Amino acid sequence: MLEVHRCRQIDWTPSAVVALATSFDGTLVAAARENGAIEIWSVAAGSVGWHCQLRIAGRKDAEISSLVWCESEDEDEPHGRLFSAGLDGFITEWNLRTLQPKEAVESMGGAVWQLAAEHVMRSKTTMRSSRIQQSRGSQEDESGSDSEDASSNGSQDEQEDPENREQRVAVACEDGCVRIFAVSDKKLGMIYRQSFPRVKGRILSVAWTWDGTRLLGGGSDGCIRCWDIASNREVYRITAGIGGKGSASDFCIWDLLVLRDGSIVSGDSSGSTQFWDAKQGTLLQVQTRHDADVLALAASPDHRSVFSAGADGQVVQFHRVDESSRMTDNASTSSSVDFVMRPMGDRWVYIGGKRTHTHDVRALAVAFPVIDGDLPVQKRRKQIQKSECPKQTDYRKWALSQTGMLISGGNDAKLFTYPANRFLSFHPHDICPAPERPFIQLAHRSPLQGGTLMMAQHPTRVDVWKINSNESALNMDNRSMLKAQPLILLARIKCKSSGHITCSAISGNGCLVALSDCQRPRLYQLEHDFTNSSVSEDKMRRISKKKLPPVLQATHCMLFSADSTRLLLVAPQLSIWVVDTESMELVHTFKVPLETFQSKLGKAVIVLMCTSSDGQWLAAATNSGHVVVFNMETMRHHWTVPVFDGTPATAAVFHAGFSNVLILSSSANHLYVLDVEMKVPGEWYKRNGMHIAKQLLEFPGGIAGLSLPLSPDSTSIIVYSSSAMCVIDFSKLMLEEEVDRAHDDAVNAAGNQEHGNGTRKVVVHGNGNGSKHDGRSVPKKSIGTKFVPFRNPVLFLGHTGLSSVFVVEKPWSEVLQQFPAPVFRHVFGT
């Protein structure tokens, strides 16, 4: 029987998603949050595989308003260069290896509302996917008329030699001016090039035409302006308020989108999505499908569908159909204000919408997943089509590499994804059920009497709690909820710097707490004497600061050794610093062999570390899927684990009894057991790896962590996500494999009984295994795995005893109460 102790005292306030941007190769999505944090997500084609590879900590009073990826000339940066802009008036380029700002330039116009990168069309550009290259290269023929009109005003040198032209970024500024910056080499960063005449009000949105000769800007005065870049003059001005349902005094153009056929799409504060002709600036069509402001727009890969999202929490799809193919008007569009200015051509039709977010939707993006092994996915899809089960709308069943993914984010801090070409066919998938969950770690060998320490990392502070051993528990078998006693707060360490905390760690004995911000790491010692029961509460919270070596820089990952005598910190250039906690000296620096990471993914970043209980082994996992093992006794590199499924590791832990056994979980929900001493997969994994992979394929959510019992003789492990946990018993799985082998031998000896219709019936001897009846297979019931769903999002799970686990959870209804009220609240049934 496994006892589950639950805790809800930990503060958890995730921040809203304010901006989304797809990487230059289309395989990554950057999500900016209101607190200044940036998350880099890897794109997957189904519900399995979404993973937050990197996270850049936020800063105080530095709200990000827009993100953009630009082309990089460096082969080690295939995803491009990431830039952010905010209401502080600065444009910042981020180093995705150190997770620190690379360079910041002033916008020269106050707060920045939006960034827009010029569309790059270069033959030498290396694309990770051929479909992206074809879609971006074919636009020259489709927008040829627009480029011919502007050719006389453009620069002759730039048009003759586009290879040497720098990529430009348009900046919408608070002072009503649009400025253009050029993305230069890595040393110079962004360079100011030109600005357009200032207008009344703010410029809220900008967009480039596909030939790069004109620039569009939407303002707070309800107008859309088109400027010619070469002459620096205004070509035409659109009064967008004539087609919507708002007045010109409070009419704002929140977002602009330029399609490859020369159409302009605008989203405004009246809830209207308007379509315009980019050449003449005339209105083509208006769709009023939102009940509040339209804040974000996105287009499908073929540009035949447009998605809009707004403050009403809806994500709406419009599809372009040929006018000649429409025999009659669609009844679903009768309620919309619809004007068609062209006698012949295409028409945008309302397809449908989804209200997946509870609050305002502020950002949309379309990404392109890359699946290296398409054959298993296609084979699985054929099996599903041949089955006689009813047709399901499971999101993971259609996983194909040629499918674009639509991602939406908003004030409810959630990120949902949809198939761009089959928007209404599948339910949206929540890729982060527990967004921005605090980092939590346990200290089992604490000098406390009968207690375990728990450290919780928040953006600006680190809390140390004592877990009461007399808590009421939840029996996993009957799932009866009992009241739990509160935790005891022992210490609170606040960070007074401008940047938020990037990482933290607590020693195994609970006496040392380390943390780092964007400036430098810090080490604190908890001075207490808990052997005396009469100690005062003030003495329990006394904290002293220890001086670390000055050579240490800011880090994004740190860990204490098992005996608490060494502090391990990730250094730049794939290095790990080893600091002695007694002498406070840098005793060694591990160097990762750089030739290991010369791959298409570029240079890797260490994002995860774990050590063995005897202190001999150190494992470091990177965001590229590599795992490097070091020997702490000889202080040398021992082994570089090959990439198994091409996805990075999400959790890693060494076995307590067998210190050479390393257990890893990947973002593809695969579990690996390795013998690091022999540099081979473990015997258990060789026998049960495929069986566990099939069991975890339907595991809800991505694996967030692994937990092992404290006993060295334990044979079980808990794999958990924010939605469920799976208890895996190694000994029972081995027994099941032996039973299956004995059963197969018995079947072969007895022979199969063949019926007249050609089907076979396998004789089963009551061992609980599956059988075949009428040619259909019945799945076997696993005796070594047990799945337990969670009612509330789980932030952390860890063992506190041989048969007891500690779970930190938070009802999502309580988290929603901390968010500001949405602008529009939908009343169901109306």
Side-chain angles (χ1 to χ4, degrees):
M1 183 182 69
L2 184 65
E3 295 181 351
V4 180
H5 301 262
R6 298 182 181 270
C7 169
R8 298 182 180 179
Q9 287 183 253
I10 303 300
D11 295 334
W12 181 37
T13 308
S15 184
V17 177
V18 297
L20 293 172
T22 306
S23 63
F24 193 77
D25 63 348
T27 60
L28 296 179
V29 169
R33 297 191 177 269
E34 199 171 22
N35 59 2
I38 300 177
E39 300 172 351
I40 309 297
W41 288 83
S42 59
V43 182
S47 61
V48 178
W50 290 88
H51 176 61
C52 183
Q53 291 189 4
L54 302 173
R55 187 180 187 277
I56 301 173
R59 295 172 294 168
K60 297 179 181 178
D61 302 327
E63 181 180 351
I64 296 177
S65 59
S66 182
L67 291 173
V68 68
W69 290 81
C70 296
E71 184 191 24
S72 176
E73 300 293 339
D74 191 354
E75 296 180 356
D76 294 331
E77 296 178 344
H79 306 298
R81 300 165 64 180
L82 178 62
F83 294 87
S84 70
L87 302 182
D88 58 352
F90 285 90
I91 305 172
T92 306
E93 182 180 2
W94 296 95
N95 190 330
L96 297 184
R97 297 191 184 97
T98 62
L99 304 184
Q100 298 293 331
K102 183 183 298 185
E103 186 178 354
V105 297
E106 190 177 357
S107 66
M108 297 182 291
V112 177
W113 287 94
Q114 195 176 65
L115 298 175
E118 180 186 11
H119 304 286
V120 176
M121 300 163 291
R122 295 185 177 132
S123 59
K124 66 178 181 179
T125 302
T126 302
M127 305 299 292
R128 291 287 304 277
S129 175
S130 60
R131 64 186 181 281
I132 307 175
Q133 190 175 15
Q134 294 173 0
S135 64
R136 293 183 178 177
S138 61
Q139 57 82 30
E140 296 181 355
D141 298 334
E142 298 178 3
S143 61
S145 59
D146 194 13
S147 61
E148 292 176 0
D149 295 338
S151 61
S152 60
N153 297 328
S155 174
Q156 188 71 18
D157 295 336
E158 291 181 353
Q159 292 183 7
E160 290 180 356
D161 191 10
E163 299 280 344
N164 299 327
R165 190 175 64 183
E166 298 172 328
Q167 187 179 12
R168 297 168 293 181
V169 175
V171 182
C173 299
E174 173 77 14
D175 62 349
C177 183
V178 176
R179 293 172 173 84
I180 294 180
F181 289 79
V183 180
S184 184
D185 55 19
K186 294 185 291 185
K187 294 182 180 180
L188 298 178
M190 272 196 176
I191 302 176
Y192 169 76
R193 290 305 185 195
Q194 70 181 101
S195 61
F196 296 98
R198 186 174 300 175
V199 301
K200 183 180 179 180
R202 305 183 180 96
I203 298 295
L204 303 176
S205 56
V206 286
W208 291 82
T209 58
W210 279 81
D211 57 0
T213 60
R214 292 182 178 182
L215 188 66
L216 298 165
S220 59
D221 58 351
C223 294
I224 302 174
R225 294 172 174 84
C226 177
W227 291 283
D228 183 81
I229 298 178
S231 63
N232 209 44
R233 294 180 180 179
E234 183 177 314
V235 180
Y236 57 79
R237 183 184 305 179
I238 301 173
T239 305
I242 61 174
K245 54 183 180 181
S247 60
S249 60
D250 58 350
F251 202 88
C252 297
I253 308 299
W254 292 117
D255 201 7
L256 288 174
L257 180 65
V258 179
L259 303 179
R260 286 194 296 267
D261 65 344
S263 300
I264 303 172
V265 188
S266 64
D268 52 57
S269 57
S270 68
S272 303
T273 305
Q274 304 188 54
F275 301 85
W276 310 84
D277 182 81
K279 184 177 181 180
Q280 303 294 336
T282 56
L283 180 64
L284 302 177
Q285 196 171 342
V286 179
Q287 292 281 358
T288 56
R289 292 294 176 175
H290 290 273
D291 300 315
D293 300 38
V294 177
L295 303 177
L297 297 171
S300 61
D302 57 359
H303 280 214
R304 294 195 62 87
S305 293
V306 170
F307 303 93
S308 63
D312 57 351
Q314 280 194 103
V315 179
V316 174
Q317 180 187 14
F318 303 101
H319 188 70
R320 187 179 65 189
V321 298
D322 189 17
E323 184 69 20
S324 60
S325 64
R326 301 179 73 253
M327 303 300 296
T328 57
D329 291 338
N330 195 342
S332 62
T333 62
S334 59
S335 60
S336 64
V337 182
D338 202 344
F339 301 96
V340 178
M341 305 301 294
R342 292 181 294 182
M344 295 182 62
D346 297 335
R347 185 182 181 92
W348 291 94
V349 178
Y350 168 75
I351 299 299
K354 291 182 179 294
R355 199 183 298 270
T356 55
H357 294 268
T358 58
H359 289 63
D360 310 1
V361 183
R362 301 175 63 175
L364 290 176
V366 176
F368 306 90
V370 174
I371 301 178
D372 295 331
D374 290 337
L375 182 60
V377 177
Q378 296 174 358
K379 189 179 296 184
R380 184 169 68 249
R381 193 182 183 197
K382 291 180 180 179
Q383 294 176 357
I384 296 170
Q385 293 176 353
K386 292 181 179 180
S387 63
E388 299 179 4
C389 299
K391 187 176 181 180
Q392 301 178 355
T393 58
D394 194 352
Y395 191 64
R396 73 191 110 225
K397 303 300 182 185
W398 58 273
L400 295 175
S401 60
Q402 300 296 327
T403 302
M405 304 296 302
L406 175 69
I407 304 100
S408 64
N411 285 351
D412 57 358
K414 289 294 190 74
L415 287 171
F416 288 95
T417 179
Y418 327 73
N421 59 347
R422 304 175 69 183
F423 178 71
L424 297 179
S425 300
F426 299 91
H427 296 294
H429 171 60
D430 186 3
I431 64 177
C432 55
E436 285 196 315
R437 62 174 182 265
F439 175 75
I440 299 175
Q441 186 180 359
L442 298 181
H444 300 289
R445 292 181 293 274
S446 172
L448 292 171
Q449 291 182 349
T452 301
L453 291 186
M454 180 187 68
M455 183 204 68
Q457 173 191 324
H458 300 280
T460 58
R461 73 178 192 275
V462 171
D463 296 340
V464 180
W465 301 80
K466 177 186 175 181
I467 301 178
N468 197 335
S469 60
N470 296 324
E471 288 185 8
S472 301
L474 170 69
N475 191 333
M476 194 185 68
D477 295 331
N478 53 30
R479 301 180 185 177
S480 59
M481 188 64 186
L482 303 177
K483 185 177 180 180
Q485 298 181 3
L487 304 178
I488 301 175
L489 180 62
L490 299 182
R492 174 166 291 176
I493 304 173
K494 295 184 179 180
C495 182
K496 298 181 180 180
S497 63
S498 60
H500 290 173
I501 299 175
T502 59
C503 60
S504 61
I506 187 171
S507 60
N509 55 17
C511 297
L512 297 175
V513 175
L515 61 89
S516 177
D517 55 10
C518 61
Q519 298 177 357
R520 63 184 184 276
R522 297 176 176 87
L523 180 62
Y524 299 90
Q525 183 174 4
L526 304 183
E527 298 178 353
H528 49 256
D529 183 12
F530 292 105
T531 59
N532 186 5
S533 59
S534 62
V535 66
S536 63
E537 186 177 357
D538 295 336
K539 189 175 182 181
M540 291 170 58
R541 299 185 180 183
R542 185 180 302 170
I543 304 171
S544 63
K545 187 176 180 179
K546 306 189 72 173
K547 188 176 181 180
L548 289 172
V551 70
L552 302 182
Q553 304 176 12
T555 181
H556 57 272
C557 183
M558 59 173 55
L559 180 69
F560 283 96
S561 59
D563 55 359
S564 305
T565 60
R566 301 291 174 88
L567 175 61
L568 309 171
L569 306 96
V570 173
Q573 303 299 328
L574 287 175
S575 303
I576 300 176
W577 288 313
V578 181
V579 179
D580 188 275
T581 56
E582 296 181 357
S583 62
M584 292 292 108
E585 295 181 356
L586 181 62
V587 296
H588 188 73
T589 301
F590 287 111
K591 297 289 185 179
V592 178
L594 296 180
E595 60 272 8
T596 307
F597 301 96
Q598 299 300 327
S599 61
K600 296 181 180 180
L601 297 177
K603 292 185 179 179
V605 179
I606 298 176
V607 295
L608 181 66
M609 292 190 301
C610 66
T611 58
S612 59
S613 57
D614 60 354
Q616 182 181 2
W617 305 108
L618 166 64
T622 66
N623 63 331
S624 63
H626 295 84
V627 178
V628 185
V629 180
F630 300 94
N631 193 322
M632 296 285 289
E633 294 181 352
T634 61
M635 292 296 180
R636 292 182 179 179
H637 171 257
H638 178 71
W639 183 32
T640 299
V641 183
V643 179
F644 288 99
D645 53 16
T647 58
T650 58
V653 63
F654 280 94
H655 196 276
F658 304 94
S659 59
N660 61 322
V661 176
L662 175 63
I663 306 175
L664 296 166
S665 64
S666 68
S667 60
N669 281 4
H670 292 169
L671 191 67
Y672 302 99
V673 180
L674 308 175
D675 188 342
V676 298
E677 186 175 4
M678 302 301 297
K679 302 180 182 181
V680 294
E683 291 296 329
W684 177 89
Y685 176 75
K686 294 178 181 179
R687 297 186 180 184
N688 303 279
M690 296 300 297
H691 175 76
I692 289 296
K694 295 178 181 179
Q695 293 290 325
L696 295 179
L697 185 62
E698 302 295 330
F699 189 65
I703 297 177
L706 305 172
S707 180
L708 285 169
L710 302 179
S711 174
D713 300 330
S714 62
T715 59
S716 64
I717 186 175
I718 294 181
V719 178
Y720 73 91
S721 66
S722 58
S723 304
M725 72 175 181
C726 176
V727 183
I728 302 175
D729 195 327
F730 295 153
S731 61
K732 291 184 179 180
L733 284 170
M734 297 283 275
L735 178 61
E736 181 185 13
E737 193 268 342
E738 296 176 359
V739 170
D740 290 344
R741 187 186 308 158
H743 169 259
D744 295 338
D745 295 340
V747 170
N748 294 332
N752 295 338
Q753 299 179 2
E754 185 171 347
H755 296 267
N757 56 2
T759 60
R760 294 179 180 269
K761 180 178 180 181
V762 180
V763 180
V764 181
H765 299 282
N767 55 7
N769 291 323
S771 60
K772 287 188 177 181
H773 298 282
D774 300 330
R776 291 182 297 177
S777 62
V778 180
K780 300 176 182 179
K781 182 178 179 181
S782 176
I783 62 176
T785 57
K786 185 173 184 180
F787 292 87
V788 179
F790 296 136
R791 297 180 181 178
N792 302 312
V794 169
L795 309 179
F796 174 78
L797 184 147
H799 277 84
T800 56
L802 181 60
S803 60
S804 62
V805 295
F806 182 76
V807 176
V808 180
E809 65 176 8
K810 198 79 169 181
W812 187 248
S813 59
E814 297 182 7
V815 179
L816 288 176
Q817 295 177 0
Q818 307 176 30
F819 297 150
V823 175
F824 174 83
R825 188 180 298 276
H826 176 70
V827 179
F828 292 93
T830 60

